[in-house]
Amino acid sequence: MAKDPVTPFRAPHKTKEARLAKMRERFEQAHPLPADDKRYPASPKALLVAIVIGVLMIWLVSALAT
């Protein structure tokens, strides 16, 4: 057996950072963030319909509970 202690190879910090940057870039290319869809903006009419449906559901549940 050798008497000299064996030290594990450790990559320099710059090498680690470069490898992480490449992995991050590949991940971002594979999973792009969805673009905001400007063709269909939120409609005040849709919000009003959702509120009306919610109120009607609450009224129905309270009417059935009595």
Side-chain angles (χ1 to χ4, degrees):
M1 279 201 178
K3 298 204 184 227
D4 295 346
V6 178
T7 56
F9 173 74
R10 293 188 184 205
H13 185 69
K14 287 183 181 179
T15 306
K16 289 180 185 178
E17 289 295 323
R19 186 174 56 222
L20 286 174
K22 285 181 185 176
M23 289 174 59
R24 190 176 302 118
E25 183 180 341
R26 287 176 56 198
F27 181 84
E28 289 173 354
Q29 287 178 356
H31 307 283
L33 292 175
D36 291 336
D37 195 359
K38 299 292 183 188
R39 294 178 295 175
Y40 303 108
S43 165
K45 190 178 194 181
L47 180 62
L48 181 64
V49 169
I51 291 172
V52 168
I53 290 173
V55 168
L56 288 174
M57 289 176 67
I58 291 171
W59 173 79
L60 179 64
V61 169
S62 63
L64 292 175
T66 56

Coordinates of all heavy atoms in Angstrom, one line a residue:
M1 N 0.8 -1.2 0.0 CA 0.0 0.0 0.0 C 0.9 1.2 0.0 O 1.9 1.2 0.6 CB -0.9 0.0 1.2 CG -2.1 -0.8 1.2 SD -3.1 -0.1 2.4 CE -4.5 -1.1 2.2
A2 N 0.4 2.3 -0.6 CA 1.1 3.5 -0.7 C 0.9 4.3 0.6 O -0.1 4.2 1.2 CB 0.6 4.3 -1.9
K3 N 2.0 4.9 1.0 CA 1.9 5.6 2.3 C 1.4 7.1 2.1 O 1.0 7.7 3.0 CB 3.3 5.7 2.9 CG 3.8 4.3 3.2 CD 4.8 4.4 4.3 CE 5.3 2.9 4.5 NZ 5.4 2.5 5.8
D4 N 1.4 7.5 0.8 CA 0.9 8.9 0.6 C -0.6 8.9 0.6 O -1.3 8.0 0.0 CB 1.3 9.4 -0.8 CG 2.9 9.6 -0.9 OD1 3.5 9.6 0.2 OD2 3.4 9.7 -2.0
P5 N -1.2 9.8 1.3 CA -2.7 9.8 1.3 C -3.3 10.2 -0.1 O -2.7 11.0 -0.8 CB -3.0 10.9 2.3 CG -1.8 11.8 2.4 CD -0.7 10.9 2.1
V6 N -4.3 9.6 -0.4 CA -5.0 9.9 -1.7 C -6.0 10.9 -1.5 O -6.9 10.8 -0.6 CB -5.6 8.6 -2.3 CG1 -6.3 8.9 -3.6 CG2 -4.6 7.5 -2.4
T7 N -6.0 12.0 -2.3 CA -7.0 13.0 -2.1 C -7.9 13.0 -3.3 O -7.5 12.7 -4.5 CB -6.3 14.4 -2.1 OG1 -5.5 14.6 -3.3 CG2 -5.4 14.6 -0.9
P8 N -9.2 13.1 -3.1 CA -10.1 13.0 -4.2 C -9.9 14.3 -5.1 O -9.6 15.3 -4.7 CB -11.5 13.0 -3.6 CG -11.2 13.7 -2.3 CD -9.8 13.4 -1.8
F9 N -10.2 14.0 -6.4 CA -10.2 15.1 -7.4 C -11.3 16.0 -7.2 O -12.5 15.6 -7.1 CB -10.2 14.6 -8.8 CG -10.3 15.7 -9.8 CD1 -9.2 16.5 -10.1 CD2 -11.5 15.9 -10.5 CE1 -9.3 17.5 -11.1 CE2 -11.6 16.9 -11.4 CZ -10.5 17.7 -11.7
R10 N -11.1 17.3 -7.0 CA -12.2 18.3 -6.9 C -12.0 19.3 -8.0 O -11.0 19.9 -8.2 CB -12.1 19.0 -5.6 CG -12.4 18.1 -4.4 CD -12.4 18.9 -3.1 NE -12.6 17.9 -2.1 CZ -13.2 18.2 -0.9 NH1 -13.6 19.4 -0.7 NH2 -13.3 17.3 0.0
A11 N -13.1 19.5 -8.8 CA -13.1 20.4 -9.9 C -13.0 21.8 -9.3 O -13.6 22.1 -8.3 CB -14.4 20.2 -10.7
P12 N -12.3 22.7 -10.1 CA -12.3 24.1 -9.6 C -13.6 24.7 -9.7 O -14.5 24.3 -10.4 CB -11.3 24.7 -10.7 CG -10.7 23.6 -11.5 CD -11.5 22.4 -11.2
H13 N -13.8 25.8 -8.9 CA -15.0 26.5 -8.8 C -15.5 27.0 -10.1 O -16.7 26.9 -10.4 CB -14.9 27.6 -7.8 CG -16.2 28.4 -7.5 ND1 -17.2 27.8 -6.8 CD2 -16.6 29.6 -7.9 CE1 -18.2 28.6 -6.7 NE2 -17.9 29.7 -7.4
K14 N -14.6 27.5 -11.0 CA -15.0 28.0 -12.3 C -15.6 26.8 -13.1 O -16.6 27.0 -13.9 CB -13.9 28.6 -13.0 CG -13.5 29.9 -12.4 CD -12.3 30.5 -13.2 CE -11.9 31.9 -12.7 NZ -10.8 32.5 -13.4
T15 N -15.0 25.7 -13.0 CA -15.5 24.5 -13.8 C -16.9 24.1 -13.4 O -17.8 23.9 -14.2 CB -14.6 23.3 -13.7 OG1 -13.3 23.7 -14.0 CG2 -15.0 22.2 -14.5
K16 N -17.1 24.2 -12.1 CA -18.5 23.8 -11.5 C -19.5 24.8 -12.0 O -20.6 24.5 -12.4 CB -18.4 23.8 -10.0 CG -17.7 22.6 -9.4 CD -17.7 22.7 -7.9 CE -16.9 21.6 -7.3 NZ -16.9 21.7 -5.8
E17 N -19.1 26.1 -11.9 CA -20.1 27.2 -12.3 C -20.4 27.1 -13.8 O -21.5 27.3 -14.2 CB -19.5 28.5 -12.0 CG -19.5 28.8 -10.5 CD -20.9 28.9 -9.9 OE1 -21.8 29.4 -10.6 OE2 -21.0 28.5 -8.8
A18 N -19.4 26.8 -14.6 CA -19.6 26.6 -16.1 C -20.5 25.5 -16.4 O -21.4 25.6 -17.2 CB -18.3 26.5 -16.8
R19 N -20.3 24.4 -15.7 CA -21.2 23.2 -15.9 C -22.6 23.5 -15.5 O -23.6 23.1 -16.2 CB -20.6 22.0 -15.1 CG -21.4 20.7 -15.4 CD -20.7 19.5 -14.7 NE -20.6 19.7 -13.3 CZ -19.5 19.4 -12.6 NH1 -18.5 18.9 -13.2 NH2 -19.4 19.6 -11.3
L20 N -22.8 24.2 -14.3 CA -24.1 24.5 -13.9 C -24.8 25.5 -14.9 O -26.0 25.4 -15.1 CB -24.1 25.1 -12.5 CG -23.8 24.1 -11.3 CD1 -23.6 24.9 -10.0 CD2 -25.0 23.2 -11.2
A21 N -24.0 26.4 -15.4 CA -24.6 27.4 -16.4 C -25.1 26.6 -17.6 O -26.1 26.9 -18.1 CB -23.6 28.4 -16.7
K22 N -24.3 25.7 -18.1 CA -24.7 24.9 -19.2 C -26.0 24.1 -19.0 O -26.9 24.0 -19.8 CB -23.6 23.9 -19.7 CG -22.4 24.6 -20.4 CD -21.4 23.6 -20.8 CE -20.2 24.2 -21.3 NZ -19.1 23.2 -21.6
M23 N -26.0 23.5 -17.8 CA -27.2 22.7 -17.4 C -28.4 23.6 -17.3 O -29.5 23.2 -17.8 CB -27.0 22.0 -16.1 CG -26.0 20.8 -16.2 SD -25.6 20.1 -14.6 CE -27.2 19.5 -14.1
R24 N -28.2 24.8 -16.7 CA -29.4 25.7 -16.6 C -29.9 26.2 -18.0 O -31.1 26.2 -18.2 CB -28.9 26.9 -15.8 CG -30.0 27.8 -15.3 CD -29.5 28.9 -14.4 NE -28.9 28.4 -13.2 CZ -27.6 28.6 -12.9 NH1 -26.8 29.3 -13.7 NH2 -27.1 28.1 -11.8
E25 N -28.9 26.4 -18.9 CA -29.3 26.9 -20.2 C -30.0 25.8 -21.0 O -31.1 26.0 -21.6 CB -28.0 27.2 -21.0 CG -28.3 27.8 -22.4 CD -27.0 28.2 -23.1 OE1 -26.0 28.4 -22.5 OE2 -27.1 28.2 -24.4
R26 N -29.6 24.5 -20.8 CA -30.2 23.4 -21.5 C -31.6 23.2 -20.9 O -32.6 22.9 -21.6 CB -29.4 22.1 -21.3 CG -28.2 22.1 -22.2 CD -27.3 20.9 -22.0 NE -28.1 19.7 -22.2 CZ -27.7 18.5 -21.7 NH1 -26.5 18.4 -21.1 NH2 -28.4 17.4 -21.9
F27 N -31.8 23.4 -19.6 CA -33.1 23.2 -19.0 C -34.1 24.3 -19.4 O -35.2 24.0 -19.8 CB -33.0 23.3 -17.4 CG -34.3 23.1 -16.7 CD1 -34.8 21.9 -16.5 CD2 -35.0 24.2 -16.3 CE1 -36.0 21.7 -15.8 CE2 -36.2 24.1 -15.7 CZ -36.7 22.8 -15.4
E28 N -33.6 25.5 -19.5 CA -34.4 26.6 -20.0 C -34.8 26.5 -21.4 O -35.9 26.9 -21.8 CB -33.7 28.0 -19.8 CG -33.6 28.4 -18.3 CD -32.8 29.6 -18.1 OE1 -32.1 30.1 -19.0 OE2 -32.7 30.0 -16.9
Q29 N -33.9 25.9 -22.2 CA -34.3 25.7 -23.6 C -35.3 24.5 -23.7 O -36.2 24.6 -24.6 CB -33.1 25.3 -24.5 CG -32.2 26.5 -24.7 CD -30.9 26.0 -25.5 OE1 -30.7 24.9 -25.8 NE2 -30.1 27.0 -25.9
A30 N -35.2 23.5 -22.9 CA -36.2 22.4 -22.9 C -37.5 22.8 -22.3 O -38.5 22.2 -22.7 CB -35.6 21.2 -22.2
H31 N -37.5 23.7 -21.3 CA -38.7 24.1 -20.6 C -38.9 25.6 -20.7 O -38.7 26.3 -19.6 CB -38.7 23.6 -19.2 CG -38.4 22.1 -19.1 ND1 -39.4 21.2 -19.3 CD2 -37.3 21.5 -18.7 CE1 -38.8 20.0 -19.1 NE2 -37.6 20.1 -18.8
P32 N -39.2 26.2 -21.8 CA -39.4 27.6 -21.9 C -40.6 28.1 -21.1 O -41.6 27.4 -20.9 CB -39.6 27.9 -23.3 CG -40.1 26.7 -23.9 CD -39.5 25.5 -23.1
L33 N -40.5 29.3 -20.6 CA -41.6 29.9 -19.8 C -42.7 30.2 -20.8 O -42.5 30.7 -21.9 CB -41.2 31.2 -19.1 CG -40.2 31.0 -18.0 CD1 -39.8 32.3 -17.4 CD2 -40.8 30.1 -16.9
P34 N -44.0 30.0 -20.4 CA -45.1 30.3 -21.4 C -45.2 31.8 -21.6 O -45.1 32.5 -20.6 CB -46.3 29.7 -20.7 CG -46.0 29.6 -19.2 CD -44.5 29.4 -19.2
A35 N -45.4 32.2 -22.8 CA -45.6 33.6 -23.1 C -47.0 34.0 -22.7 O -48.0 33.2 -22.8 CB -45.4 33.8 -24.6
D36 N -47.1 35.2 -22.3 CA -48.5 35.7 -22.0 C -49.3 35.8 -23.2 O -48.8 36.3 -24.3 CB -48.4 37.1 -21.3 CG -47.8 37.0 -19.9 OD1 -47.8 36.0 -19.3 OD2 -47.2 38.1 -19.5
D37 N -50.5 35.3 -23.2 CA -51.4 35.4 -24.3 C -52.1 36.7 -24.4 O -53.1 36.9 -23.6 CB -52.3 34.2 -24.3 CG -53.0 33.9 -25.7 OD1 -52.7 34.7 -26.6 OD2 -53.8 33.0 -25.8
K38 N -51.7 37.6 -25.2 CA -52.3 38.9 -25.3 C -53.5 38.9 -26.2 O -54.2 39.9 -26.2 CB -51.3 39.9 -25.8 CG -50.0 40.1 -25.0 CD -50.3 40.7 -23.7 CE -49.0 40.9 -22.9 NZ -49.2 41.3 -21.5
R39 N -53.8 37.8 -26.9 CA -55.0 37.8 -27.7 C -56.3 37.8 -26.9 O -57.3 38.3 -27.4 CB -54.9 36.6 -28.7 CG -53.8 36.7 -29.6 CD -53.8 35.4 -30.5 NE -53.5 34.3 -29.6 CZ -53.5 33.0 -30.0 NH1 -53.8 32.8 -31.3 NH2 -53.2 32.1 -29.2
Y40 N -56.3 37.2 -25.8 CA -57.5 37.0 -25.0 C -57.3 37.6 -23.6 O -57.0 36.9 -22.6 CB -57.8 35.5 -24.8 CG -58.0 34.8 -26.2 CD1 -57.1 33.9 -26.6 CD2 -59.1 35.1 -27.0 CE1 -57.2 33.3 -27.9 CE2 -59.3 34.5 -28.2 CZ -58.3 33.6 -28.6 OH -58.5 33.0 -29.8
P41 N -57.4 38.9 -23.5 CA -57.2 39.5 -22.1 C -58.4 39.2 -21.2 O -59.5 38.8 -21.7 CB -57.1 41.0 -22.4 CG -57.9 41.2 -23.7 CD -57.6 39.9 -24.5
A42 N -58.2 39.3 -19.9 CA -59.3 39.0 -19.0 C -60.5 40.0 -19.3 O -60.3 41.2 -19.4 CB -58.8 39.2 -17.6
S43 N -61.6 39.4 -19.3 CA -62.8 40.2 -19.6 C -63.6 40.6 -18.4 O -63.8 39.7 -17.5 CB -63.7 39.4 -20.6 OG -65.0 40.0 -20.7
P44 N -64.1 41.8 -18.2 CA -64.9 42.2 -17.1 C -66.2 41.4 -17.1 O -66.8 41.1 -16.1 CB -65.2 43.7 -17.2 CG -64.2 44.2 -18.3 CD -63.7 43.0 -19.0
K45 N -66.7 41.1 -18.3 CA -67.9 40.3 -18.5 C -67.8 38.9 -17.9 O -68.7 38.4 -17.2 CB -68.3 40.2 -20.0 CG -69.6 39.7 -20.3 CD -69.8 39.8 -21.8 CE -71.3 39.6 -22.1 NZ -71.5 39.6 -23.6
A46 N -66.6 38.3 -18.1 CA -66.4 37.0 -17.6 C -66.3 37.0 -16.1 O -66.8 36.1 -15.4 CB -65.1 36.4 -18.2
L47 N -65.7 38.0 -15.5 CA -65.6 38.2 -14.1 C -67.0 38.3 -13.5 O -67.4 37.7 -12.5 CB -64.8 39.4 -13.7 CG -64.6 39.7 -12.2 CD1 -63.9 38.6 -11.5 CD2 -63.8 41.0 -12.1
L48 N -67.9 39.1 -14.1 CA -69.2 39.3 -13.7 C -70.0 38.0 -13.7 O -70.7 37.7 -12.7 CB -69.9 40.4 -14.5 CG -71.4 40.7 -14.1 CD1 -71.4 41.3 -12.8 CD2 -72.0 41.6 -15.2
V49 N -69.8 37.2 -14.7 CA -70.5 35.9 -14.9 C -70.1 35.0 -13.8 O -70.9 34.3 -13.1 CB -70.3 35.3 -16.3 CG1 -70.7 33.9 -16.3 CG2 -71.0 36.1 -17.3
A50 N -68.8 35.0 -13.5 CA -68.2 34.1 -12.4 C -68.8 34.5 -11.0 O -69.2 33.6 -10.2 CB -66.7 34.2 -12.4
I51 N -68.9 35.8 -10.8 CA -69.5 36.3 -9.5 C -70.9 35.9 -9.4 O -71.4 35.4 -8.4 CB -69.3 37.8 -9.4 CG1 -67.8 38.1 -9.2 CG2 -70.1 38.4 -8.2 CD1 -67.4 39.6 -9.2
V52 N -71.7 36.1 -10.5 CA -73.1 35.7 -10.5 C -73.3 34.2 -10.2 O -74.2 33.8 -9.4 CB -73.8 36.2 -11.8 CG1 -75.2 35.6 -11.9 CG2 -73.8 37.7 -11.9
I53 N -72.5 33.4 -10.9 CA -72.6 31.9 -10.7 C -72.3 31.6 -9.2 O -72.9 30.8 -8.6 CB -71.6 31.2 -11.6 CG1 -72.2 31.3 -13.1 CG2 -71.5 29.7 -11.2 CD1 -71.3 30.8 -14.1
G54 N -71.3 32.3 -8.6 CA -70.9 32.0 -7.2 C -72.1 32.4 -6.3 O -72.4 31.7 -5.4
V55 N -72.7 33.5 -6.5 CA -73.8 34.0 -5.7 C -75.0 33.0 -5.8 O -75.6 32.6 -4.9 CB -74.2 35.4 -6.1 CG1 -75.6 35.8 -5.5 CG2 -73.1 36.4 -5.7
L56 N -75.3 32.6 -7.1 CA -76.4 31.6 -7.3 C -76.1 30.3 -6.6 O -77.0 29.6 -6.0 CB -76.6 31.4 -8.8 CG -77.3 32.6 -9.5 CD1 -77.3 32.3 -11.0 CD2 -78.6 32.9 -8.9
M57 N -74.8 29.8 -6.6 CA -74.5 28.6 -5.9 C -74.6 28.7 -4.4 O -75.2 27.8 -3.7 CB -73.0 28.2 -6.2 CG -72.9 27.7 -7.7 SD -71.2 27.4 -8.1 CE -70.8 25.9 -7.1
I58 N -74.2 29.9 -3.8 CA -74.4 30.1 -2.4 C -75.9 30.1 -2.1 O -76.4 29.5 -1.1 CB -73.7 31.4 -2.0 CG1 -72.2 31.2 -2.1 CG2 -74.2 31.8 -0.6 CD1 -71.5 32.5 -1.9
W59 N -76.7 30.8 -2.9 CA -78.2 30.8 -2.7 C -78.8 29.4 -2.7 O -79.6 29.1 -1.9 CB -78.8 31.7 -3.7 CG -80.3 31.7 -3.6 CD1 -81.1 32.4 -2.7 CD2 -81.2 30.9 -4.5 NE1 -82.4 32.1 -3.0 CE2 -82.5 31.2 -4.0 CE3 -81.0 30.1 -5.6 CZ2 -83.6 30.6 -4.6 CZ3 -82.1 29.5 -6.1 CH2 -83.3 29.8 -5.7
L60 N -78.4 28.6 -3.7 CA -78.9 27.3 -3.9 C -78.5 26.4 -2.6 O -79.4 25.7 -2.1 CB -78.4 26.6 -5.1 CG -78.8 25.2 -5.4 CD1 -80.3 25.2 -5.6 CD2 -78.1 24.6 -6.6
V61 N -77.3 26.5 -2.2 CA -76.9 25.7 -1.0 C -77.7 26.1 0.2 O -78.1 25.3 1.0 CB -75.4 25.8 -0.8 CG1 -75.0 25.2 0.5 CG2 -74.7 25.1 -1.9
S62 N -77.8 27.4 0.4 CA -78.6 27.9 1.6 C -80.1 27.5 1.5 O -80.7 27.2 2.5 CB -78.4 29.4 1.8 OG -79.0 30.1 0.7
A63 N -80.6 27.5 0.3 CA -82.0 27.2 0.1 C -82.2 25.7 0.4 O -83.2 25.3 1.0 CB -82.5 27.5 -1.3
L64 N -81.3 24.8 0.0 CA -81.4 23.4 0.2 C -81.1 23.1 1.7 O -81.6 22.0 2.2 CB -80.4 22.7 -0.7 CG -80.7 22.7 -2.2 CD1 -79.6 22.0 -3.0 CD2 -82.0 22.0 -2.5
A65 N -80.3 23.9 2.4 CA -80.0 23.6 3.8 C -81.2 23.8 4.7 O -81.3 23.3 5.8 CB -78.8 24.4 4.2
T66 N -82.1 24.7 4.3 CA -83.3 25.0 5.1 C -84.4 24.1 4.9 O -84.6 23.3 4.1 CB -83.8 26.4 4.9 OG1 -84.1 26.6 3.5 CG2 -82.7 27.4 5.3

